[in-house]
Amino acid sequence: DRVPTPAFLFETGSDSDNAGFCRGPHRCFQPLHPESWGRAIFDIASMFVLLYESIWMPYQFAWNVQLKGVALAWSIILSSFWTLDLILGFWTGYRCKKDCLVMDFKKIAWRYMQTTFLANLIVVVTDITSIALEISSASQDDKTSSTAVAVKVARFIKVNRLLRLWSLFKTGRVALLFDYVVTYLRAVGLDEQYNFSVRVVKLIFIIMWVNHFGCCIWHSVGTAANDQW
């Protein structure tokens, strides 16, 4: 049997479904629909950024890579990206426990403040602070010990951002896309092969990342021991 293409892939929907897209002066001040294409594209971009940071942050922490040139410019761009993500948290609707769509700014802000706002704020402030410390220390010949420790701590706190990667696969239009893929493959009899392939790829990535993170930590500990001994 032919699996019909889900409506959410192409639908324009009702006014509430399209909230967040400006079709007139009054539309620009409505929340962004959590399953809109605009939010989906931003979430997909967030996934790639998080994958990049999952490799870069442990390496930067262990090898004490200085931010200058391309690395500094890229860090500023990513910091701006996550600052925008922090703001969008107040601008994006959500689904309640009964699967009802909530598009009220007050309710959105209250829920965001109760859930992930504080963690996101800490990471963003730490990110901006670490960049500022890097820039200020780069203008000096030698880093003071307190500045070096502060930069190390700031880099370590940013690892908390990687916890968001899994949640991106569980919400919004990205999750709906994955659900459609699974439904289609189940209809053609390939769901078991798909699930097996996904588990294998996920396991390989976890093993490689754990080894990468462990090697970076091991190098950091060895470097610190050599400096002190």
Side-chain angles (χ1 to χ4, degrees):
D1 296 333
R2 181 177 178 272
V3 178
T5 302
F8 71 83
L9 290 176
F10 304 104
E11 66 184 357
T12 56
S14 62
D15 290 342
S16 61
D17 289 340
N18 285 314
F21 294 94
C22 297
R23 299 179 185 274
H26 63 288
R27 298 301 304 276
C28 298
F29 300 99
Q30 294 188 11
L32 184 67
H33 195 288
E35 296 163 8
S36 65
W37 276 114
R39 185 69 214 193
I41 293 173
F42 192 88
D43 288 343
I44 292 173
S46 300
M47 291 180 188
F48 285 103
V49 172
L50 286 171
L51 288 174
Y52 164 79
E53 290 189 333
S54 69
I55 305 299
W56 167 250
M57 286 193 297
Y59 174 80
Q60 184 189 23
F61 178 82
W63 269 264
N64 197 25
V65 180
Q66 304 300 314
L67 292 181
K68 55 184 178 180
V70 177
L72 177 60
W74 190 239
S75 296
I76 294 175
I77 292 173
L78 294 183
S79 178
S80 302
F81 178 86
W82 292 119
T83 303
L84 175 61
D85 176 73
L86 179 70
I87 297 173
L88 284 179
F90 290 101
W91 204 272
T92 306
Y94 66 94
R95 295 280 182 180
C96 67
K97 295 181 179 180
K98 297 181 180 180
D99 200 35
C100 59
L101 181 63
V102 179
M103 300 291 283
D104 180 75
F105 276 118
K106 292 183 179 180
K107 294 181 180 179
I108 292 172
W110 179 247
R111 178 179 180 272
Y112 187 39
M113 295 286 288
Q114 288 182 316
T115 53
T116 60
F117 170 74
L118 182 59
N120 293 343
L121 179 64
I122 291 175
V123 174
V124 169
V125 171
T126 303
D127 202 1
I128 296 174
T129 303
S130 65
I131 294 175
L133 290 173
E134 291 274 5
I135 294 175
S136 63
S137 62
S139 60
Q140 305 172 1
D141 294 334
D142 297 318
K143 282 186 179 180
T144 62
S145 59
S146 59
T147 302
V149 171
V151 171
K152 282 281 189 179
V153 172
R155 290 174 178 175
F156 183 78
I157 292 177
K158 290 194 295 183
V159 178
N160 175 67
R161 184 181 291 151
L162 301 180
L163 299 176
R164 295 189 53 193
L165 185 60
W166 180 251
S167 65
L168 291 176
F169 289 94
K170 295 295 185 180
T171 58
R173 193 175 290 256
V174 175
L176 295 177
L177 287 172
F178 279 104
D179 289 341
Y180 171 68
V181 171
V182 173
T183 302
Y184 175 80
L185 293 176
R186 185 180 296 114
V188 298
L190 296 176
D191 56 313
E192 293 184 2
Q193 292 86 338
Y194 171 78
N195 291 331
F196 176 77
S197 300
V198 169
R199 286 195 295 267
V200 170
V201 172
K202 187 188 302 182
L203 183 61
I204 292 175
F205 175 79
I206 292 175
I207 292 174
M208 293 180 63
W209 186 83
V210 169
N211 277 274
H212 170 69
F213 186 80
C215 290
C216 290
I217 295 299
W218 185 259
H219 178 273
S220 180
V221 172
T223 301
N226 290 332
D227 293 339
Q228 295 180 5
W229 293 351

